[in-house]
Amino acid sequence: TACDSFTWNGVTYYQSGSYENNIINSSSNSYSMLFDGVNDYIVTSNSVIPTSGNFSVSFWANTSTLTGTYAEVVSQGASGQSGFYIGYNPSGGIRLGDDWQNTGVSFPTDGVWHFYTLVKNSSNTYFYIDGSLVATKGSPIGNPTSTPFRIGRQFGNIGEYFNGYIDEVMVYNTSLSSTDILDIMQCSNQSLVGLQAYWNFENILNITTTTDASSNGNDGLINGALYSLNVPIQSCNLINVNGCDS
């Protein structure tokens, strides 16, 4: 009988089994962006998070230094209008927009990459770190207004700049499941339904603009942030490939 084969990450497998591909400094994820906490940021020319309905936002971040003030990794909206952001307060407590100021979770400052995901649906809001649910609000936060999406700072002229590395920023117009989150964390699986924007920071030849890899045209203007080879380690697992064992 004919043997089945499966091509994955550029390699064709002919034998049954479980396989793993460790992604670090490869063509899949070779660069992140470094923000100085003073005036570095990235901004789009339009809004990305939908102004109504479900949405999810995820990214990798790595810092060993709190700024001692408010700081935001991503943001969109305006104050007093369900402004959205993921960041921390002067004490290092994570806050998730105007509607969820006190999560009871501290922002990691161990100099290690962590994966953050906020999921908002019609009945609740959830926050995950490294694929584990760490906070539940008990009600949905509001959607932000239609303003430019920012990475590394707060919306408007507030500032609140983030000091550290950011990578693999994704925005969805759906509420991701816990399985979706693990898939994205482990393998940057950006092919899921509802992807609005995806900044992987791999276009290092362009020092002024970061390309939206979702093909939705949400490119971001780079203001001071620098490309870095410091990237998260991701492990893509391929389970039970059917083929010929001999």
Side-chain angles (χ1 to χ4, degrees), residues 30 32 52 56-57 62 74 84-85 94 106 111 150 157 161 176 184-185 187 189 193 197 202 210 214 223 234:
S30 300
S32 66
S52 63
S56 303
V57 178
N62 176 346
V74 295
F84 175 80
Y85 39 87
I94 292 177
S106 296
R150 289 172 169 84
N157 298 317
Y161 296 95
L176 297 174
I184 297 168
M185 180 181 74
C187 205
N189 181 1
V193 173
E202 295 302 303
T210 180
S214 75
N223 293 268
Q234 295 170 279

Side-chain angles (χ1 to χ4, degrees), residues 41-100:
Y41 68 99
I42 294 171
V43 61
T44 65
S45 60
N46 51 281
S47 64
V48 178
I49 299 173
T51 57
S52 63
N54 300 340
F55 69 88
S56 303
V57 178
S58 68
F59 56 82
W60 288 90
N62 176 346
T63 187
S64 57
T65 305
L66 293 178
T67 60
T69 59
Y70 294 99
E72 321 305 338
V73 181
V74 295
S75 67
Q76 180 182 310
S79 296
Q81 302 177 47
S82 294
F84 175 80
Y85 39 87
I86 299 178
Y88 57 80
N89 61 30
S91 299
I94 292 177
R95 58 190 199 137
L96 304 171
D98 289 347
D99 295 345
W100 196 0

Side-chain angles (χ1 to χ4, degrees), residues 108-128:
T109 56
D110 52 8
V112 174
W113 284 100
H114 295 281
F115 188 67
Y116 302 83
T117 309
L118 179 136
V119 177
K120 179 258 182 180
N121 62 28
S122 60
S123 60
N124 215 332
T125 313
Y126 307 93
F127 188 62
Y128 298 77

